[in-house]
Amino acid sequence: MQLDDAPPHNDAGQAEGIIHAVRGAVVDVVFKDADLPAINSSLIVKWDIPTPLILEVHSHLDLHTLRAVAFQSTAGLARGVAVYATGSAVTVPVGEAVLGRLLDVVGEPKDNGPQLPKDTPHRPIHGLPPPLKSQTRTTEIFETGIKVIDLLTPMAQGGKAAMFGGAGVGKTVLVMELIRAMVEKYEGISVFAGIGERSREGHELLTEMQSSGVLERTVLVYGQMNEPPGARWRAPLTALTISEYFRDQKHQNVLLLMDNVFRFVQAGAEVSSLLGRLPSRVGYQPTLASEVAGLQERIASVAGAAVTAIQAVYVPADDFTDPAVTTISSHMDCVIVLSRSQAAEGFYPAIDPLASSSMLLDPLVVGEEHYATAEAVRQALARFRELTDIISLLGIEELGVADRKIVKRARRLQRFLSQPFMVTQAFTGTPGTSVALADTLSGCRAILNGDADDWDESSLYMVGTLEDARAKEAKATTPVTDDAAPEVSS
């Protein structure tokens, strides 16, 4: 947001108020001789600290007093300081100038780079979704190269997908792998919103994008964990505003990534509490559903330009019945659930194949062959899960012949659907792989048909295609010849 060009009160006719009370990130402002600024409009504090301070109006307390939320730290703010009403919502820079830059919630560059040009267009962060009649839906499948996603939870170009998982199950790693996959195959602009993220994670993503050469087509917007709740609450709106400009004005496809949408809800709960609203279920804000809907409904595609959204969602205490989780999931086309039990067994990506779902897994969309293969895989894994308790109590020998065959193939399917990622190659030492959908389908059908029944299970673990697993099996079963045997000194 441009602050230096804000004209004085007398010249521009801006309403002037004074600070009445400061309670952390919540500030009360009195306008004695002017009408109160509108809800969601922005105020600029004229104080003697170089750091700008921007407030957003959230409620009118009486005819002359309003309550606002600060986007920056209010440390040092005192009563009686002058405040000017801008008359509009917070505006952020958009367009070609912001590509390759890291911005904060009000559009200020935070990457130690040059200031944005003076002629950079600005847009308000509050807006309406495009009219329903102008929105378009697509059934074009986007291949990610990740086997379990392409097979069981196919993603649509122009759709909304979310990764749900507790702490430490691999949400951010999965999002970063999808970024890498999309950059290779996806023509368009990428906008990343880091909501309540750690500074370390933001720095890692910035340096990785710089080294991979994709930063020049990407915009990074951060409302970090150490910032006031107002900044974390409005960071996704800033990213959305930039995305909408490229969609509507430039007619370009946009990939919108958000990590983590739960922090958006959490920041809204903090703001709601600071504003004095009564809490709702589980302590969340009473406006939870409308806030999430206001964000998600703006993520839409129009004719000629698609916005594809991939969102990571933290699940508090692994409770998938949490109101925030259920509210967010209701807006998604594709729901990918990450399981702690899968991660504990070493199956990465730790995606639960039975809890995850996609609206696109339909024979009319993906085809009969894909649908039939996915259903067969689900049925085998579901039957294996049903038999797990019996196996742990009595042993696999107590099962019938048919069930033993299902268990054998389901265990091999579990291992085949694991996959090494390219973004983790530096940490694991295992080269990452990207697998085409056709190879995933053929591999799963071969395992279901019993082609790998005699293989060692470890041969299918953390490989790409079935051919890679076959080569791994052949290498493991090749006997060591006498010529190749190491010499033993006497």
Side-chain angles (χ1 to χ4, degrees):
M1 181 177 181
Q2 291 177 322
L3 302 175
D4 299 333
D5 300 333
H9 168 63
N10 292 336
D11 295 339
Q14 292 174 309
E16 180 179 349
I18 59 170
I19 300 293
H20 176 67
V22 181
R23 302 178 187 88
V26 170
V27 179
D28 291 351
V29 184
V30 173
F31 287 82
K32 291 183 178 179
D33 304 319
D35 294 334
L36 290 178
I39 301 295
N40 286 337
S41 64
S42 61
L43 312 175
I44 298 176
V45 177
K46 292 295 183 181
W47 60 350
D48 55 358
I49 296 178
T51 306
L53 178 57
I54 300 168
L55 312 177
E56 187 178 68
V57 180
H58 281 282
S59 62
H60 294 168
L61 302 181
D62 55 42
L63 292 176
H64 299 289
T65 310
L66 60 82
R67 183 159 289 169
V69 173
F71 283 172
Q72 295 88 9
S73 172
T74 57
L77 184 61
R79 297 182 65 184
V81 174
V83 175
Y84 292 98
T86 63
S88 66
V90 172
T91 60
V92 294
V94 295
E96 301 289 336
V98 300
L99 290 175
R101 304 303 301 272
L102 189 150
L103 310 175
D104 66 4
V105 65
V106 294
E108 289 294 308
K110 296 296 181 181
D111 52 7
N112 295 327
Q115 288 295 312
L116 298 174
K118 291 289 186 182
D119 58 352
T120 303
H122 283 66
R123 294 288 186 275
I125 64 172
H126 294 284
L128 297 173
L132 196 59
K133 63 180 179 181
S134 66
Q135 294 185 23
T136 59
R137 301 296 296 167
T138 179
T139 56
E140 182 180 349
I141 300 297
F142 180 82
E143 285 191 34
T144 64
I146 301 172
K147 290 181 288 188
V148 65
I149 291 179
D150 290 342
L151 175 68
L152 300 176
T153 58
M155 293 169 52
Q157 186 166 321
K160 284 182 278 193
M163 268 70 76
F164 294 88
V169 294
K171 296 184 301 299
T172 301
V173 171
L174 188 55
V175 167
M176 291 178 70
E177 181 71 11
L178 286 168
I179 292 173
R180 186 209 57 76
M182 293 247 177
V183 164
E184 290 186 354
K185 305 176 184 179
Y186 191 98
E187 293 296 329
I189 303 298
S190 297
V191 180
F192 181 87
I195 311 165
E197 288 298 281
R198 303 170 184 87
S199 301
R200 170 187 58 79
E201 292 173 337
H203 184 264
E204 285 178 359
L205 183 64
L206 178 61
T207 53
E208 182 169 326
M209 286 192 164
Q210 285 173 335
S211 61
S212 60
V214 302
L215 188 61
E216 61 183 19
R217 305 295 295 167
T218 304
V219 186
L220 303 176
V221 179
Y222 272 91
Q224 294 187 152
M225 192 177 283
N226 61 333
E227 295 188 59
R232 289 179 270 125
W233 193 35
R234 292 311 191 200
L237 299 188
T238 301
L240 256 176
T241 303
I242 296 171
S243 302
E244 289 169 341
Y245 178 84
F246 285 109
R247 180 194 69 191
D248 300 333
Q249 307 299 322
K250 299 294 185 180
H251 305 291
Q252 291 178 291
N253 290 333
V254 180
L255 170 62
L256 177 62
L257 302 127
M258 294 188 183
D259 189 7
N260 183 307
V261 181
F262 176 78
R263 304 297 180 199
F264 161 75
V265 174
Q266 199 173 41
E270 291 180 49
V271 169
S272 178
S273 177
L274 289 168
L275 292 173
R277 297 175 185 153
L278 288 174
S280 182
R281 292 170 53 204
V282 199
Y284 286 110
Q285 61 270 43
T287 53
L288 171 65
S290 58
E291 286 178 13
V292 172
L295 173 69
Q296 299 294 345
E297 292 302 314
R298 284 178 64 182
I299 305 173
S301 301
V302 297
V307 176
T308 305
I310 298 175
Q311 306 172 33
V313 184
Y314 168 70
V315 179
D318 291 342
D319 179 15
F320 285 89
T321 64
D322 187 86
V325 176
T326 56
T327 303
I328 295 169
S329 64
S330 65
H331 293 272
M332 298 297 144
D333 304 322
C334 175
V335 173
I336 299 171
V337 176
L338 285 92
S339 162
R340 192 170 301 281
S341 61
Q342 291 278 107
E345 293 179 37
F347 296 129
Y348 288 100
I351 295 173
D352 188 330
L354 303 180
S356 304
S357 62
S358 171
M359 291 183 179
L360 275 76
L361 191 59
D362 185 286
L364 298 176
V365 178
V366 299
E368 289 287 351
E369 182 184 4
H370 183 165
Y371 179 76
T373 304
E375 283 301 297
V377 169
R378 279 189 194 276
Q379 288 172 9
L381 294 173
R383 182 59 179 161
F384 174 49
R385 188 169 292 183
E386 290 172 4
L387 297 170
T388 300
D389 289 342
I390 297 175
I391 294 170
S392 61
L393 288 172
L394 303 176
I396 196 170
E397 294 79 10
E398 297 299 319
L399 299 178
V401 175
D403 281 342
R404 270 186 283 179
K405 185 183 293 184
I406 288 174
V407 168
K408 178 186 289 187
R409 293 173 184 176
R411 286 176 62 88
R412 282 159 175 76
L413 281 170
Q414 266 189 330
R415 283 148 182 79
F416 180 66
L417 291 177
S418 65
Q419 184 174 344
F421 282 169
M422 295 186 184
V423 295
T424 60
Q425 183 172 331
F427 307 103
T428 63
T430 305
T433 59
S434 178
V435 183
L437 176 59
D439 293 331
T440 301
L441 293 176
S442 63
C444 290
R445 282 196 302 271
I447 294 172
L448 288 166
N449 292 333
D451 293 1
D453 282 0
D454 298 329
W455 295 8
D456 191 276
E457 291 180 356
S458 61
S459 299
L460 293 155
Y461 178 67
M462 282 294 175
V463 296
T465 64
L466 192 67
E467 293 303 315
D468 296 336
R470 182 176 280 111
K472 190 175 177 181
E473 171 71 12
K475 185 177 179 181
T477 57
T478 301
V480 179
T481 62
D482 292 339
D483 294 338
E487 295 183 3
V488 179
S489 59
S490 58

